[in-house]
Amino acid sequence: MEPSALAKLLDQEAWALLNALPPYEEKLAMVLSERLRAKGFDPEVVALVLTQSRLRAKAEAKFGPFADGMLFTPAGLEQATRLVVAAHHAQRYLAAGITTVADLTCGIGADSMAFAGVGLKVVATDLDEATAAVATVNLRAFPEAVVRHADGLTLDLAAEGLTDGTGGIYADPARRTRSGKRIFDPKAYAPALDDVWALRSQVPAVGIKVGPGIPHEGLPADCEAQWVSVDGDVVEAGLWFGPLAPDGPGRSALLLRTEGGQTLARTYRGDGIATGTGEGESLPEAVDGVEGVGRYLHEPDGAVIRAGLVADVSRALHGRLLDRTIAYVTTDERLDDGEQVPLATGYRVLDTMPFGVKRLKSYLRARDVGRVTIKKRGTAVTPESLRAQLALKGSAEATLVLTRVAGAQHILVVEPLGHPGQPVAPLTSPPSDSE
């Protein structure tokens, strides 16, 4: 967004128009645009307010009702932290005794809003002038927050009161180019990851948001690397240093689940047993063949998988991996760890068969299955292609898991635990090997 466009949007009449618009509907946008122009509104202002209305509607998934009072840029919304996650960031700083946070790459101000919302003093900076202005608007209700159009790395940390033990640093480096292409090399982040975590020599309490695909190799040995999921979707990873990592270095997963307007949270660090292949390390148990598949299948949460804690979950469930390279765990008993947020989604295994389209098609048609949910891991088969090949027309539903079992491609017919729906009758004899 250009500064001139933002100035027009912040004009009293334009701001009033934006806040008076009905909930955004794509199919009605053109009609509404023509109606507003017919009433004499500046066409550029109409375009700006409708764009903001569209972005606000999209932002509800991250900000809930707060989105209705905020401004956004497309790039800023894309990278902005979900408010439910930002609240957990803020709690880390509070628990560490931090009173002032420098948000070095504030973007549209999502994390700064959470910091200020729990009473922390915030110094927020952004290199882009319009983005800094948008953050200023979004932080207007928090007098303890100040936004500056500046390079956060040039802040005088001592002058800002950040080096006395009560200050903390937070950064969310840009991970996309101006054209929107995703950046995977941490050294190419803006600012570079090395430059940000080097600040811990001056301010020990440093937190950095990174992409969930960041490799484990090369991460500083003194950080807690935590992967975060919301309702099963992995949304980010964070690197936490010094007092922001009270349990010490390592990898963890934060699982957040929203239910009835409330958010349930669970943090999992695993059992601490090494799971590599080096001498003296402990490998998780895995099945030797299809006969080792138990009555239940467990799919670990995505944050658990990204954190490399699948083996830990397998041991916690007293289970076995379907394959040493696949994140599926099988057990003989239905287990409940007593937590409101489970580490894995559970399924009852109804049948198991080697992969084969004709075999599967015959199996499903014999059970009047017309709709399938297809999950996959460790296979090149795409659900869309398989559905087209199956061409099912029945009335029942089934859930299929395409994966490897002890190195061989198999199909598991499963039923979600707790939501059985219309179960598929298991085979009384193995399916035919004929294709």
Side-chain angles (χ1 to χ4, degrees), residues 229-419:
S229 68
V230 178
D231 295 329
D233 294 328
V234 183
V235 296
E236 68 171 68
L239 309 180
W240 305 99
F241 298 88
L244 300 178
D247 294 324
R251 298 195 302 271
S252 65
L254 172 62
L255 284 55
L256 302 175
R257 174 175 293 183
T258 56
E259 292 183 0
Q262 294 185 328
T263 300
L264 305 175
R266 180 177 186 178
T267 301
Y268 184 69
R269 287 180 64 96
D271 58 21
I273 300 176
T275 58
T277 58
E279 182 179 355
E281 294 182 332
S282 173
L283 284 169
E285 184 180 352
V287 302
D288 293 326
V290 68
E291 65 279 355
V293 177
R295 296 172 59 200
Y296 298 93
L297 180 73
H298 305 271
E299 181 181 19
D301 184 275
V304 169
I305 296 173
R306 291 294 185 99
L309 299 174
V310 173
D312 301 79
V313 170
S314 181
R315 284 189 289 270
L317 294 173
H318 305 290
R320 308 173 296 280
L321 297 179
L322 289 186
D323 186 280
R324 292 200 187 279
T325 63
I326 302 295
Y328 281 127
V329 178
T330 185
T331 62
D332 299 317
E333 302 294 333
R334 180 172 179 172
L335 302 173
D336 183 354
D337 62 7
E339 298 285 345
Q340 289 182 299
V341 181
L343 296 173
T345 301
Y347 301 88
R348 181 178 290 103
V349 178
L350 303 177
D351 271 309
T352 304
M353 66 188 80
F355 181 82
V357 176
K358 289 185 178 180
R359 179 190 297 111
L360 177 62
K361 188 174 183 177
S362 175
Y363 174 94
L364 295 175
R365 283 188 172 181
R367 288 153 183 78
D368 193 37
V369 173
R371 296 177 302 280
V372 289
T373 297
I374 302 175
K375 305 179 73 64
K376 54 165 280 185
R377 186 161 287 144
T379 177
V381 177
T382 64
E384 295 77 13
S385 174
L386 181 58
R387 281 196 183 92
Q389 291 177 289
L390 292 174
L392 299 172
K393 298 179 180 179
S395 60
E397 299 181 15
T399 299
L400 309 176
V401 177
L402 314 182
T403 189
R404 290 198 301 270
V405 177
Q409 296 289 336
H410 276 74
I411 301 171
L412 277 64
V413 184
V414 301
E415 171 185 280
L417 294 179
H419 304 281

